[in-house]
Amino acid sequence: MRRYYWFFLLFDFLLFWYPVLGQEQGLVVTNIQLSGLKKSNEDYLRNFIKTTVGQSYRQLQAEEDRQQLIRVPGIGNVTVLVDTVEDKQVRIEFAVEEQRTLLPIAGLGGVTDNFWFQLGLAEYNFLGKGQTLLGYFLSNNGIPNGQIFFRNERVRGQPWGYAIDIRRIGTPEPLFFPEATVNYEYTNTSTGITGIRHIGFNRKIELGVNFFIEEYEKDEEEEFPPLPGPDQVRQDKLLTRLSFETNHLQYDYFYRNGSYWRAIGQSVYTFDDNSQFFSLFLERIQYWRPYQTANIAVRVKAGIATNNDSPFAPFVLDSQVNIRGSGNRVDRGTAQAVVNAEFRQTVFQISHFAGQVVGFADTGTWRKPGGELEDIVSRKNIRQFVGLGVRLINQKVFGAVLRFDYGVDVFDTGERGAVIGVGQYF
């Protein structure tokens, strides 16, 4: 009988008392205000606040609302102010600190005989509703690239959104044949549209289609004997992409805490030979804040694709993407596993400016096209770079982190390089 007593006691607690944990007994919300707004649209921001007038005040809910507002582009920080106006009645004020969101896009980097630079402009709070509008030009070893992109996460505050993307990617691309490594000039010209569906505030699903043209042109001068591989390849393709992500990150200015996870499945149909190609990509990012002025960040990425024995494999080894100091698109594979780890230490924080020093380790491995999955653990396919970096941060500007990293290959110290860009590496 005693067992049943404790069972019913637990049931009573879960049913009647657990839902009210975190709320101040008897306090009723009579007014909700947002202050400090200059550019952001107030009606749009109110879509992220779950607390409503007439309900009991819950401190945990107010903190959740604060974190949701901070995630909106252009919001640097939010302070929750609670004021008792009458007996058992409170007024909540969300004091918003906005950031400048019209920003240049700039970056440069490279290793020997492999240099890139990027210039453009981006608005991350277009019309004050968290919309992204950007365009840029990028030169990759003299090969022109560019992009025009628009993204509306929530149309009129609804859980639906969309994105439109037009871009050209051009890069020198070494392709690996059994007889030799041959340098090609690779271009990818694409147009795509994506539909977005939010599930609550922490999850979303995206479904997109993208038509693109891939071209490879051999840039080696004629040699004898002739180099392997075709002189020129053009393929018209249609990509279908489905992604799911969950975001449980907490923000405190430029510090992060919590986790982010996403999965991407893709299908690529080639019109020329009616072939189909599939890939699956998983990514997990975890942040810790061991003490007031430090952040630990770890990113794990894994991917697997149809294992065609082709030099045009989908996963790349690249300084700008996964292994800092390695160079631009220096290797390819049909499966990958990558781990990036950083320790970020703030060395000064004066007014709206801050500086960090960063120690990092980037490790990655790839399955060669047509190879076995065991290639992933083969020593010859593992690349590991370690290095140091610097971050200069302006807290009044959205995403304004100037990044400089220098990485060195652990197994071959002659392999090294620098990467400069805007924004944290991840």
Side-chain angles (χ1 to χ4, degrees):
M1 191 69 185
R2 192 177 189 84
R3 289 182 303 173
Y4 295 110
Y5 170 78
W6 288 109
F7 172 80
F8 284 114
L9 187 62
L10 177 61
F11 179 79
D12 177 75
F13 171 79
L14 293 174
L15 183 62
F16 296 105
W17 294 104
Y18 183 76
V20 302
L21 287 178
Q23 73 181 41
E24 303 296 331
Q25 295 297 316
L27 296 180
V28 177
V29 178
T30 59
N31 190 18
I32 300 173
Q33 295 180 344
L34 287 98
S35 62
L37 301 182
K38 298 177 182 177
K39 182 176 182 177
S40 298
N41 183 284
E42 181 173 341
D43 290 338
Y44 178 75
L45 292 183
R46 285 187 178 275
N47 292 307
F48 298 90
I49 300 174
K50 288 185 178 180
T51 301
T52 59
V53 173
Q55 77 173 44
S56 297
Y57 168 67
R58 295 179 57 205
Q59 185 178 0
L60 293 178
Q61 183 60 66
E63 175 59 25
E64 183 178 326
D65 294 340
R66 171 181 173 272
Q67 286 296 330
Q68 294 298 336
L69 289 171
I70 292 175
R71 292 184 190 180
V72 177
I75 306 300
N77 194 42
V78 177
T79 303
V80 181
L81 304 174
V82 181
D83 182 28
T84 303
V85 290
E86 292 183 15
D87 186 36
K88 295 187 178 181
Q89 295 183 353
V90 296
R91 180 180 64 221
I92 300 177
E93 178 184 347
F94 294 96
V96 176
E97 297 178 32
E98 289 189 322
Q99 297 173 310
R100 185 160 61 87
T101 54
L102 181 61
L103 304 174
I105 299 174
L108 60 88
V111 294
T112 304
D113 297 325
N114 198 329
F115 177 78
W116 64 272
F117 74 89
Q118 182 181 28
L119 291 173
L121 195 64
E123 170 57 76
Y124 294 101
N125 192 18
F126 185 61
L127 301 179
K129 297 181 179 181
Q131 301 170 8
T132 299
L133 176 64
L134 66 83
Y136 70 79
F137 171 81
L138 185 149
S139 176
N140 198 339
N141 252 30
I143 304 172
N145 295 245
Q147 181 185 19
I148 298 173
F149 177 77
F150 176 75
R151 184 179 181 91
N152 186 352
E153 281 278 346
R154 294 177 180 269
V155 177
R156 297 182 179 179
Q158 298 302 308
W160 296 93
Y162 65 94
I164 299 172
D165 188 14
I166 302 170
R167 72 172 73 190
R168 182 186 191 273
I169 300 172
T171 178
E173 187 93 30
L175 299 183
F176 304 94
F177 297 90
E179 303 88 348
T181 298
V182 183
N183 292 321
Y184 279 79
E185 181 177 309
Y186 168 76
T187 59
N188 181 320
T189 305
S190 66
T191 302
I193 186 168
T194 300
I196 305 166
R197 179 62 164 93
H198 292 267
I199 306 172
F201 287 112
N202 297 318
R203 297 175 179 85
K204 67 180 174 183
I205 296 175
E206 298 186 10
L207 176 63
V209 292
N210 187 299
F211 175 75
F212 63 100
I213 300 171
E214 283 189 320
E215 295 179 277
Y216 290 85
E217 184 174 353
K218 190 181 293 183
D219 66 2
E220 295 283 355
E221 296 181 358
E222 185 175 348
E223 294 188 17
F224 185 84
L227 290 170
D231 291 334
Q232 194 171 33
V233 175
R234 171 184 166 134
Q235 295 180 321
D236 297 351
K237 300 182 178 183
L238 181 68
L239 180 148
T240 305
R241 180 179 185 269
L242 177 66
S243 70
F244 173 79
E245 72 174 57
T246 179
N247 185 341
H248 291 285
L249 296 178
Q250 294 181 334
Y251 297 80
D252 183 8
Y253 292 101
F254 52 87
Y255 295 105
R256 302 287 183 267
N257 200 24
S259 63
Y260 169 87
W261 180 89
R262 69 171 173 165
I264 301 173
Q266 293 187 149
S267 169
V268 178
Y269 176 77
T270 303
F271 291 95
D272 296 343
D273 56 9
N274 297 321
S275 63
Q276 199 137 11
F277 174 89
F278 299 94
S279 66
L280 176 65
F281 173 83
L282 304 174
E283 180 181 36
R284 171 70 183 263
I285 302 176
Q286 185 72 47
Y287 297 96
W288 297 272
R289 195 172 177 185
Y291 51 90
Q292 186 76 15
T293 59
N295 244 163
I296 297 173
V298 176
R299 179 176 67 179
V300 179
K301 299 196 297 184
I304 190 166
T306 304
N307 191 24
N308 295 330
D309 188 4
S310 164
F312 311 112
F315 301 116
V316 299
L317 169 63
D318 192 306
S319 276
Q320 303 173 51
V321 179
N322 42 40
I323 307 292
R324 282 163 282 190
S326 62
N328 296 333
R329 293 178 176 264
V330 297
D331 202 355
R332 281 182 171 269
T334 56
Q336 71 166 0
V338 177
V339 179
N340 306 106
E342 289 188 351
F343 183 85
R344 306 169 186 170
Q345 174 63 57
T346 303
V347 292
F348 72 86
Q349 188 169 358
I350 303 171
S351 184
H352 302 304
F353 297 94
Q356 291 180 318
V357 293
V358 175
F360 68 86
D362 298 335
T363 304
T365 180
W366 284 260
R367 177 178 68 182
K368 296 294 185 180
E372 301 295 331
L373 201 55
E374 290 78 10
D375 290 352
I376 290 286
V377 295
S378 172
R379 165 64 192 86
K380 65 181 181 181
N381 294 327
I382 297 175
R383 303 293 299 274
Q384 184 174 32
F385 280 66
V386 297
L388 296 174
V390 176
R391 308 287 186 266
L392 299 177
I393 303 166
N394 184 342
Q395 299 175 72
K396 276 294 185 180
V397 180
F398 176 74
V401 180
L402 179 62
R403 164 173 44 90
F404 175 85
D405 289 320
Y406 191 84
V408 179
D409 192 330
V410 171
F411 304 111
D412 181 4
T413 56
E415 293 288 331
R416 57 183 65 195
V419 181
I420 300 174
V422 175
Q424 296 282 9
Y425 196 65
F426 63 93

